[in-house]
Amino acid sequence: MSFKDRLSDPRLRRAAKWTAIGSATAVVCGAAIVGIAAALMSRQLPDVSTLQNYQPKLPLRVFTADGELIGEFGEERRQLVPIDKIPKVMKDAVLATEDARFYQHGGLDTIGLARAVISNTLHGGVRQGASTITQQVARNMFLSSERTFSRKLKEALLAWRLEDELTKDQILEIYLNQIYLGNRAYGFAAAAQTYFGKPLQDITVAEAAMLAGLPKAPSSNNPIANPRRAVARQQYVIGRMVETGYLSQADAEKARQEPLKLRDAAEPSGLHADYVAEMVRQQMVAKYGDDTYTKGFKVYTTVARADQSAAYEGLHETIVDYEQRQPYRGPEGFVELPADSADNADVDTAVDDALADKPDSGGMMAAVVMEASPRKLVAVRANGDSVEITGRGLQAVQRGLVDKAAEPLRIRRGSIVRIARTGPQNSWEVTQLPEVEGAFVAVDPRDGAIKALVGGFDFNKNKFNHATQAWRQPGSSFKPFIYSAALEKGFTPATIVNDAPLSFDAAATGGAPWEPKNYDNTYAGPITLRQALEQSKNVVTIRVLDAITPAYAQEWITHFGFAADKHPAYLTMGLGAGSVTPLQMAAAYSVFANGGLKVEPRLIARITDARDQVLEDTPPKPADQAGRVIPARNAFVIDTLLNSVVKNGTARRAYGTLRRDDLYGKTGTTNDSHDAWFAGFQPTRVGVAWIGYDTPRQLGVRGETGGSLALPAWTRYMQGALKGVPVAKLDVPPGVTNASGEWMYDEYANGQGVQSLGVEAALTPIMPVEVNSGAPTTGPAPSWGTQPVIPAIPGQPAQPGQPAAPAQPDERNRILNMFR
């Protein structure tokens, strides 16, 4: 039957008619159903106008005073970057890949949808998506990712509404800041830091193309999880940029050939200020609660980048140097390796498993030994790099490489060791993780700003902040505060004190007999107070403290911020038997550095919201007379003594290195060398270094001192911190005189004051005199107002009117036993 005959057949005409009617009815009904569903759904859809004030979950970010990021806290890594601050190359790469007609369509791209359907049909699979950037924003902000018709319909409705409520740039800004891109990175600014370790503004075309390829499959296509797939996706993005006219063919070829330098999370990078960031986090949580982690607060600290870098490097190098002087303790562990070559897949798996719980620490990287001999060691790192070490790089671990090495020390195939780059040549060596800890604090004594703070060798290894939480005995670094008290009792730097063996019977101590000794167990006989501090003579300090009474000294040290109950009023206080933290010592030494004024250490300078609106601003407040706690002349005389310590005494190595005349400080070593200190300053920087074990024990087989261990960290810091800082001269305050080359209070310049102690049979009492304190005119009267009577030397009866401290034998014995 011909086609014409078929058309003339009534039955066929009726069938065609009803088919057409049915199809039209189905379309109308379908449209009606969709319309009704859309109408019903529209009532349940969220209000998209809330995105007019887009506020994503933004982490707390902590910066140095000069704007370097040092910490980020929150579930999502994200930076809110305005659309006009996002580089054009980044926007071009995203638009070319995700929505080339973004600025032409109204939320749904019908042309793009048709193109995707045709492409997917021809290639027999899903090769192109049809969701616009507006639809993706709607889905990410308001909907789930389930694949259902109702979700797609809601997505379309929301996309139309978004296009009505927001501008194209607003929608694109939300997308570029909100989209998840793998490794906890949300938004392209965070992804640039995560994958390339650089600001978004600095990325290249090749890097932008790799980032733009992430939205499709961020967890599996990122360059850390799957470098091969990430590169393939990057090449596709570059091709799309050429097709859409965003990139020339020549620039595309250049981008294709550019080698990518991914950030290696195992390599130490950035500024080491984790303890500072954690201190800020704790303060912010105390103030803002859980909002701390989602509101995008930016906290700018007082820490200076150069100071923090110098402090970290100084402490780190000092601890590493100390560790190199210690015996090798052996490998950290052992893993059985297959006998095949090092590139065998089973070997790689074994290495990965062995190093999974051995994170790198302080630049010391965990590695598994592949072969070992006294002359050569080959080890593999967690990132797969093979390292060969010879010569001096094996020197520290020779005990473990000899054939007869004891089993705990033996280094062999499968041993887990630490390797690090050291020395001027930056060559590899085998080392070991330090067990010793340390801390360093630097404060500007003029306003209390904390310029640097390092709370330990490695924050990831030990989060305990030794700078603020470690209460340790300060040893001889506490002596300047005793000498400061003595100046108010008539002593001068020229006072002669007998450095000779001294003993106290049970009646004098309230307990057992005690014989304090000098550190080196040698005695110089009669020497000046200046010489005694230079050489850190313990016996001289005890004689002085006994003369002025521990009770008076205990009250005096509270002017510097020390708590009296942390320093019991016994003679051992003079040898630093109390408890201090490094930060507390830095604040106390600031009083000497600024001429007698108390400053409170401060860390936070400014807090802003996510859009840089200032919430809190704490400008520096220079110390002034309202904060005076000791006379200016007292601080001046102590400064001259501390300067002598650096030039001629136990800290002279610092002077030999720095060659500056404006350095002041005191070494400190506690009993049995459990703690090593150096506290010192230049008038613009106070620095305090402490080194010791968390569970106190002797520092080294022969013991180390503050001068040999803590002083190098301080010196290295000052080398960096004082670059370009002119040498400062002390201003001579009223009330002091230079008599025969020695500074002293005016009233003691003509033979008055304490001339000697422990040399004659007894001291001549000194009549009370008024001291020009320079104290503020308001508030409580200062304690240094009147010169009290000096008590007799040990073994002689106390002078009339001298108060006696109440005896507490048990407590006294406990403290005295520390120094027997």
Side-chain angles (χ1 to χ4, degrees):
M1 183 183 293
S2 67
F3 181 71
K4 184 176 180 181
D5 294 335
R6 289 193 186 97
L7 288 177
S8 62
D9 187 333
R11 291 174 300 175
L12 290 176
R13 287 201 302 270
R14 284 196 300 271
K17 176 182 176 182
W18 286 111
T19 299
I21 293 173
S23 298
T25 301
V27 169
V28 171
C29 290
I33 292 171
V34 170
I36 294 170
L40 293 174
M41 285 183 178
S42 65
R43 300 175 183 177
Q44 303 171 2
L45 293 177
D47 182 7
V48 299
S49 65
T50 58
L51 292 185
Q52 290 281 4
N53 298 308
Y54 169 62
Q55 292 291 336
K57 288 184 178 179
L58 295 173
L60 166 69
R61 307 182 77 215
V62 185
F63 299 86
T64 62
D66 31 9
E68 178 157 346
L69 180 67
I70 58 176
E72 196 169 18
F73 302 93
E75 295 179 3
E76 303 174 357
R77 293 192 183 107
R78 193 198 309 275
Q79 302 172 37
L80 183 59
V81 183
I83 189 68
D84 58 342
K85 297 294 178 60
I86 297 175
K88 183 177 184 298
V89 66
M90 189 71 256
K91 290 184 283 189
D92 291 347
V94 169
L95 291 173
T97 310
E98 296 296 323
D99 192 352
R101 286 175 31 81
F102 173 71
Y103 281 98
Q104 283 77 50
H105 63 67
L108 299 180
D109 186 5
T110 54
I111 296 176
L113 176 61
R115 184 188 301 115
V117 170
I118 294 171
S119 176
N120 295 338
T121 301
L122 292 175
H123 292 91
V126 180
R127 292 179 59 89
Q128 289 188 22
S131 289
T132 65
I133 283 178
T134 309
Q135 287 176 274
Q136 292 184 57
V137 169
R139 181 172 64 249
N140 290 333
M141 299 302 298
F142 300 111
L143 303 172
S144 68
S145 58
E146 61 180 346
R147 294 172 178 258
T148 64
F149 174 78
S150 63
R151 196 271 293 166
K152 290 296 292 183
L153 182 56
K154 289 178 181 178
E155 181 182 296
L157 293 172
L158 286 171
W160 282 324
R161 289 191 179 184
L162 282 172
E163 293 280 346
D164 286 338
E165 291 283 348
L166 288 93
T167 66
K168 286 287 189 180
D169 280 351
Q170 285 177 311
I171 295 170
L172 184 59
E173 178 182 292
I174 293 171
Y175 178 83
L176 295 173
N177 282 286
Q178 181 71 23
I179 192 74
Y180 177 61
L181 298 170
N183 284 75
R184 287 179 52 219
Y186 289 78
F188 287 92
Q193 288 286 355
T194 299
Y195 296 115
F196 302 116
K198 60 168 60 175
L200 184 62
Q201 289 77 7
D202 296 341
I203 60 169
T204 64
V205 174
E207 292 166 344
M210 178 160 283
L211 295 179
L214 293 176
K216 183 178 180 181
S219 296
S220 58
N221 274 3
N222 75 70
I224 294 176
N226 196 324
R228 182 185 60 79
R229 291 176 63 179
V231 170
R233 181 68 176 164
Q234 175 210 39
Q235 298 302 310
Y236 166 77
V237 173
I238 293 174
R240 284 291 300 156
M241 293 179 74
V242 174
E243 291 175 23
T244 53
Y246 288 118
L247 195 64
S248 69
Q249 192 64 50
D251 289 339
E253 287 304 316
K254 184 178 178 181
R256 292 183 193 279
Q257 300 302 319
E258 179 183 320
L260 288 174
K261 298 178 181 178
L262 295 177
R263 175 186 176 188
D264 184 355
E267 292 287 348
S269 61
L271 192 62
H272 297 273
D274 303 281
Y275 291 98
V276 173
E278 175 59 16
M279 288 173 66
V280 171
R281 185 196 69 81
Q282 292 177 12
Q283 293 184 42
M284 291 294 289
V285 169
K287 183 174 292 187
Y288 293 101
D290 291 341
D291 284 349
T292 297
Y293 304 113
T294 61
K295 295 300 184 182
F297 295 120
K298 298 177 184 178
V299 180
Y300 295 86
T301 66
T302 59
V303 169
R305 188 194 193 289
D307 284 68
Q308 183 66 24
S309 179
Y312 173 82
E313 290 173 6
L315 183 66
H316 185 269
E317 291 172 10
T318 297
I319 290 178
V320 170
D321 289 347
Y322 168 80
E323 190 59 46
Q324 290 176 336
R325 301 195 291 269
Q326 309 312 306
Y328 184 58
R329 296 184 293 273
E332 292 184 29
F334 179 81
V335 56
E336 288 287 353
L337 296 178
D340 297 334
S341 60
D343 61 353
N344 182 279
D346 292 337
V347 173
D348 293 342
T349 300
V351 170
D352 290 343
D353 292 343
L355 300 183
D357 61 346
K358 300 286 183 183
D360 297 338
S361 177
M364 297 181 175
M365 305 168 195
V368 175
V369 175
M370 294 292 116
E371 59 177 282
S373 72
R375 294 189 176 183
K376 185 177 78 170
L377 182 145
V378 178
V380 175
R381 290 179 51 202
N383 64 0
D385 288 350
S386 179
V387 178
E388 182 177 305
I389 305 173
T390 60
R392 293 180 60 86
L394 301 176
Q395 185 173 341
V397 297
Q398 276 298 317
R399 296 176 63 201
L401 293 171
V402 297
D403 293 337
K404 297 182 178 180
E407 189 59 31
L409 299 181
R410 185 183 171 201
I411 299 176
R412 56 194 173 97
R413 179 177 169 84
S415 293
I416 301 173
V417 298
R418 292 282 167 171
I419 59 176
R421 289 190 177 276
T422 59
Q425 305 301 321
N426 201 30
S427 57
W428 288 103
E429 74 167 1
V430 185
T431 183
Q432 61 185 350
L433 281 179
E435 293 181 343
V436 75
E437 275 294 353
F440 192 94
V441 182
V443 172
D444 188 332
R446 298 166 295 184
D447 60 13
I450 297 175
K451 309 304 290 186
L453 187 145
V454 185
F457 178 75
D458 179 20
F459 181 79
N460 293 319
K461 173 173 171 275
N462 188 346
K463 292 178 171 56
F464 183 78
N465 191 338
H466 299 84
T468 61
Q469 297 175 295
W471 290 91
R472 306 293 290 234
Q473 293 181 336
S476 295
S477 64
F478 200 73
K479 289 176 180 176
F481 304 105
I482 305 301
Y483 280 44
S484 172
L487 294 182
E488 302 304 312
K489 290 284 194 173
F491 284 80
T492 75
T495 299
I496 302 295
V497 184
N498 193 9
D499 179 32
L502 188 62
S503 64
F504 295 89
D505 58 23
T509 64
W514 179 46
E515 296 183 2
K517 300 181 182 302
N518 288 332
Y519 176 80
D520 56 4
N521 219 15
T522 63
Y523 302 88
I527 58 175
T528 65
L529 214 62
R530 182 177 296 277
Q531 293 170 323
L533 192 63
E534 289 175 356
Q535 301 170 38
S536 198
K537 294 292 188 179
N538 292 341
V539 169
V540 170
T541 304
I542 294 299
R543 286 187 187 274
V544 171
L545 180 57
D546 188 49
I548 66 174
T549 75
Y552 175 75
Q554 183 191 48
E555 189 276 334
W556 180 258
I557 66 171
T558 62
H559 301 319
F560 298 88
F562 296 115
D565 61 349
K566 294 283 188 181
H567 302 270
Y570 302 120
L571 294 176
T572 47
M573 177 174 59
L575 305 184
S579 297
V580 300
T581 67
L583 181 59
Q584 190 180 45
M585 285 289 277
Y589 267 79
S590 293
V591 176
F592 292 139
N594 64 28
L597 308 175
K598 185 74 171 67
V599 292
E600 291 297 331
R602 63 186 187 92
L603 181 60
I604 295 178
R606 188 170 78 259
I607 302 173
T608 72
D609 63 14
R611 297 186 180 273
D612 296 322
Q613 298 298 310
V614 176
L615 302 177
E616 296 183 32
D617 195 1
T618 310
K621 182 182 178 182
D624 56 27
Q625 292 301 316
R628 179 162 299 285
V629 290
I630 65 172
R633 64 178 187 170
N634 184 295
F636 174 81
V637 175
I638 293 297
D639 289 351
T640 68
L641 293 174
L642 295 175
N643 186 247
S644 292
V645 173
V646 175
K647 285 187 173 181
N648 309 310
T650 56
R652 56 187 175 274
R653 290 182 183 177
Y655 183 73
T657 300
L658 299 172
R659 307 305 299 177
R660 296 177 64 106
D661 291 326
D662 58 347
L663 302 176
Y664 313 82
K666 182 69 185 75
T667 53
T669 310
T670 61
N671 197 41
D672 294 330
S673 297
H674 285 177
D675 298 271
W677 293 80
F678 186 78
F681 58 90
Q682 187 271 351
T684 65
R685 287 292 185 277
V686 173
V688 174
W690 166 84
I691 292 175
Y693 290 98
D694 280 340
T695 301
R697 70 174 195 256
Q698 189 174 34
L699 289 163
V701 177
R702 294 181 298 275
E704 302 253 6
T705 67
S708 68
L709 190 50
L711 180 62
W714 186 88
T715 303
R716 285 165 170 154
Y717 165 75
M718 287 296 179
Q719 279 181 302
L722 297 181
K723 282 183 179 178
V725 177
V727 174
K729 293 188 66 175
L730 289 179
D731 294 328
V732 181
V736 294
T737 299
N738 191 300
S740 301
E742 190 58 88
W743 291 101
M744 60 188 69
Y745 288 5
D746 285 345
E747 56 269 31
Y748 305 138
N750 297 318
Q752 300 299 311
V754 179
Q755 298 301 302
S756 62
L757 179 62
V759 179
E760 300 97 352
L763 290 175
T764 302
I766 299 173
M767 298 302 294
V769 295
E770 292 296 323
V771 177
N772 177 18
S773 67
T777 56
T778 59
S783 60
W784 59 77
T786 303
Q787 172 67 45
V789 175
I790 300 297
I793 60 173
Q796 300 292 329
Q799 300 213 12
Q802 176 61 42
Q808 301 179 39
D810 292 342
E811 177 68 9
R812 186 188 293 264
N813 288 340
R814 183 183 67 79
I815 297 175
L816 293 181
N817 284 337
M818 298 178 186
F819 290 88
R820 292 199 183 101

